Amino acid sequence: MKNHDKISSMLISLFLIMTGIFFIINQFNFYVVIYILILISLFIELFKRLLNKDLTFIIKLISIIILLFFYKSFFSIVFILTGLYFIFTGLIALINYFICRNNILPGAISSLLRFIGDLIIGILLVMQVSKSTFILSLIAGLYFITIGTIDLFSTILKLLPKEKAGKISFPLPTFLTVLLPQQVFMSIPNLIKEKNEDKPILKNNVEVLIHLKNDGPEALGHVDVAVDDYVYSYGLHDPASRKLLGTLGEGVLLKIEKESYIKQTIYQEGKLILGYELKVNDAQKQIIQDKLNTLLEDAYPWQCAAETHNPDNEYFDYASRVYRFTEAKMFKFKKGAFKTYFVATTNCVQLSDYLIRSKELNLINIYGIITPGTYIQFLHHEYRHKQSVSTFNLYSNNLSEDFNIKVFNGLNNHKDYRLITNAKTFDEYDRYSTHVLIYQKNKPISAGRIYQTAEKTILDKIYADNIVHHDIILNYLTVIKYYWQKKG
């Protein structure tokens, strides 16, 4: 970090610690401060939405009116929301308890105790058994003091020599990652300006791949690790095992040829990938390979729907889409920490941590709460300052900022497709087709489709208003067709 970064980071950390102390010793003003901050935040959001002509400004306006005219109820609202927060964290701890117990993992008892404690506090707060400000002020104070201490500790570590900093760590419970917002680090246009010149996809290296998308669950980010010619991706990829609204289930590890996986992510998933090549020596690379071998010792092959059924074009779950494009090898686990995937504990970030963030490697010195946003922030800093990251790559469709490409499987978002094609009904193949749409400032302007029959892959029906858009759609569909038909 530059000197002013170090100073400002320390000052912010000290401010957070002092704020926490203030909340503990001056309880009443805690509520006044929170009330004012919420109002300011709502007014800022209202102003933004009005400028963007976003109709959701009505929700912000109603919230402001309620807070201004029913301010006496604010005290009770804070109690209830804080209580619900504790109940939520308690439920996460309970789920983690069952995961640890079923998979014979350490931490089951501590998770159960955390569940009991959080549940009791949450119920007492929701029921407002005591309206004393002490409990909430203490919670808020300890929260600010903890976060401030972590930030201060992290800054001090960055001032130490790298070999000494790598011996010290200050972790927090992993389940907190789902409760804190992602860090807003930088804009995509700025990243595009900083990327290396276009070149073939790197191999024979170790590269961290971070997936980004403008909307949906993928907007939170996804982290993979590429080692030499293969990408290792962990997630909840078996639709049949998903529970709790798709947050819990059997973990699946994908081993995928790197080039075809990046093409699949760009062309079929419509994502953007940030790639950070790590500076690793032979000894470090061998450690990572040994970790992979150890991980795969507890794994067994698993087949997705597209691999077990023919024709496979009827199956549009993520694992099937990846398999059709890449011929990926897929595994589940007989035992161990990765047997069960849970979004708040064992998720994609944990696989990356297992492979590349350890004291013996001394590559990724991130402290505190780890999210995809944290990885971006750390790795881009390392790249800018020529430290542990040698190369930054941005894998994208290279369209301008005014244009966007989206890929839909089956009849998802069919209204946009019908708008372009002027189709009042769908033919028999639309249900099994992959549709590619070009958007200009969120308005669909061109489309095309591709589908498979038992005999062959068919690319047809491109609707474009000019030759440029036609060629873009054709390029997308041609790449998809090539990888669908590629075997071995």
Side-chain angles (χ1 to χ4, degrees):
M1 293 189 297
K2 296 180 181 177
N3 288 331
H4 67 81
D5 291 332
K6 299 172 186 175
I7 295 172
S8 63
S9 182
M10 286 186 174
L11 290 176
I12 291 172
S13 302
L14 292 172
F15 172 76
L16 290 171
I17 294 171
M18 292 174 62
T19 301
I21 295 171
F22 167 77
F23 280 153
I24 293 175
I25 64 178
N26 197 335
Q27 298 168 18
F28 175 76
N29 286 333
F30 158 72
Y31 296 97
V32 177
V33 170
I34 295 297
Y35 179 78
I36 293 172
L37 287 176
I38 291 175
L39 274 178
I40 292 173
S41 174
L42 286 172
F43 272 113
I44 292 173
E45 289 296 317
L46 175 65
F47 183 68
K48 284 182 180 178
R49 281 162 172 72
L50 286 172
L51 285 179
N52 295 329
K53 297 180 180 179
D54 187 344
L55 292 178
T56 57
F57 81 90
I58 297 174
I59 299 174
K60 304 298 178 184
L61 182 60
I62 293 173
S63 301
I64 291 171
I65 293 172
I66 291 173
L67 278 177
L68 289 175
F69 288 93
F70 299 95
Y71 63 91
K72 291 182 179 179
S73 301
F74 180 72
F75 182 83
S76 297
I77 293 172
V78 171
F79 261 86
I80 292 171
L81 291 178
T82 308
L84 292 174
Y85 173 86
F86 269 90
I87 292 172
F88 179 61
T89 59
L91 292 175
I92 288 177
L94 179 63
I95 295 169
N96 197 53
Y97 161 74
F98 284 112
I99 292 173
C100 292
R101 194 188 70 172
N102 293 337
N103 297 342
I104 317 177
L105 298 172
I109 299 300
S110 61
S111 294
L112 182 60
L113 293 176
R114 188 185 306 128
F115 160 68
I116 295 171
D118 285 1
L119 185 65
I120 292 172
I121 294 174
I123 291 173
L124 291 176
L125 289 172
V126 170
M127 297 180 65
Q128 299 185 46
V129 173
S130 170
K131 291 195 175 182
S132 168
T133 60
F134 173 73
I135 295 178
L136 287 184
S137 300
L138 180 64
I139 292 169
L142 291 176
Y143 176 82
F144 278 105
I145 290 172
T146 302
I147 297 300
T149 303
I150 291 169
D151 287 344
L152 183 62
F153 192 82
S154 178
T155 304
I156 293 172
L157 285 175
K158 290 176 180 177
L159 297 175
L160 296 175
K162 193 171 183 181
E163 60 274 9
K164 292 184 179 180
K167 298 176 182 179
I168 309 171
S169 63
F170 190 51
L172 279 181
T174 308
F175 75 92
L176 284 177
T177 60
V178 78
L179 304 176
L180 296 179
Q182 298 290 319
Q183 298 183 39
V184 180
F185 177 53
M186 58 178 62
S187 68
I188 297 303
N190 287 338
L191 284 172
I192 292 174
K193 293 176 184 176
E194 292 189 41
K195 75 169 183 173
N196 291 341
E197 294 297 323
D198 291 335
K199 59 183 179 181
I201 294 171
L202 295 169
K203 296 187 178 182
N204 299 316
N205 68 339
V206 176
E207 189 174 9
V208 181
L209 303 175
I210 302 175
H211 302 220
L212 298 176
K213 203 169 184 178
N214 290 332
D215 49 27
E218 295 91 345
L220 296 176
H222 175 81
V223 182
D224 293 328
V225 176
V227 181
D228 293 335
D229 294 344
Y230 291 94
V231 175
Y232 297 86
S233 177
Y234 177 76
L236 189 56
H237 302 317
D238 181 5
S241 75
R242 289 175 185 163
K243 305 172 185 175
L244 290 178
L245 303 176
T247 62
L248 174 70
E250 297 175 356
V252 177
L253 177 68
L254 308 182
K255 180 181 179 181
I256 319 165
E257 195 275 324
K258 185 175 181 180
E259 182 172 355
S260 60
Y261 179 60
I262 289 176
K263 293 286 182 65
Q264 190 272 340
T265 302
I266 294 171
Y267 286 96
Q268 190 163 22
E269 302 302 318
K271 294 181 184 178
L272 175 148
I273 300 179
L274 310 182
Y276 295 92
E277 183 183 6
L278 302 180
K279 295 178 181 178
V280 294
N281 55 38
D282 291 340
Q284 290 171 317
K285 198 169 184 181
Q286 186 59 50
I287 290 173
I288 295 172
Q289 190 61 55
D290 291 342
K291 284 175 172 285
L292 276 172
N293 295 337
T294 301
L295 185 67
L296 291 172
E297 285 177 1
D298 295 327
Y300 63 92
W302 173 76
Q303 293 181 324
C304 64
E307 190 173 0
T308 57
H309 294 80
N310 187 28
D312 60 17
N313 58 293
E314 297 182 25
Y315 302 95
F316 287 125
D317 60 278
Y318 178 74
S320 293
R321 298 198 304 270
V322 172
Y323 175 76
R324 292 164 69 189
F325 211 101
T326 68
E327 292 285 315
K329 297 184 183 301
M330 304 185 184
F331 305 89
K332 286 188 177 181
F333 295 89
K334 295 175 286 189
K335 59 181 181 179
F338 293 97
K339 180 179 179 181
T340 302
Y341 177 100
F342 182 43
V343 68
T345 54
T346 309
N347 50 42
C348 65
V349 175
Q350 305 318 307
L351 177 69
S352 303
D353 278 0
Y354 168 77
L355 292 178
I356 61 176
R357 193 168 75 99
S358 64
K359 294 176 184 177
E360 54 186 334
L361 285 172
N362 199 23
L363 285 171
I364 308 295
N365 294 316
I366 309 177
Y367 306 92
I369 296 167
I370 309 304
T371 65
T374 313
Y375 261 106
I376 294 175
Q377 187 180 41
F378 173 82
L379 293 171
H380 211 79
H381 171 272
E382 295 289 288
Y383 165 70
R384 283 176 168 173
H385 293 79
K386 304 184 184 306
Q387 297 183 18
S388 63
V389 175
S390 61
T391 307
F392 165 57
N393 296 290
L394 189 144
Y395 306 105
S396 68
N397 56 29
N398 293 318
L399 291 182
S400 67
E401 292 181 40
D402 290 337
F403 292 88
N404 186 25
I405 279 193
K406 294 185 180 181
V407 181
F408 303 113
N409 297 296
L411 298 181
N412 290 338
N413 215 10
H414 62 276
K415 291 181 180 178
D416 290 345
Y417 183 68
R418 292 177 85 170
L419 184 66
I420 296 172
T421 61
N422 294 317
K424 295 181 180 180
T425 60
F426 293 99
D427 65 36
E428 58 180 313
Y429 296 111
D430 275 322
R431 179 184 171 191
Y432 307 117
S433 295
T434 291
H435 301 97
V436 175
L437 277 71
I438 297 180
Y439 289 77
Q440 183 176 17
K441 296 182 178 179
N442 297 321
K443 178 184 177 182
I445 57 174
S446 300
R449 76 174 188 181
I450 185 171
Y451 62 90
Q452 287 181 326
T453 66
E455 295 80 25
K456 59 182 177 179
T457 302
I458 299 174
L459 185 163
D460 74 343
K461 293 192 176 180
I462 297 178
Y463 303 86
D465 56 359
N466 60 52
I467 189 64
V468 174
H469 296 155
H470 180 280
D471 288 348
I472 291 173
I473 296 279
L474 180 62
N475 180 47
Y476 256 68
L477 296 178
T478 302
V479 172
I480 293 173
K481 181 178 181 180
Y482 170 76
Y483 280 98
W484 276 8
Q485 294 178 329
K486 182 180 177 183
K487 300 297 179 183

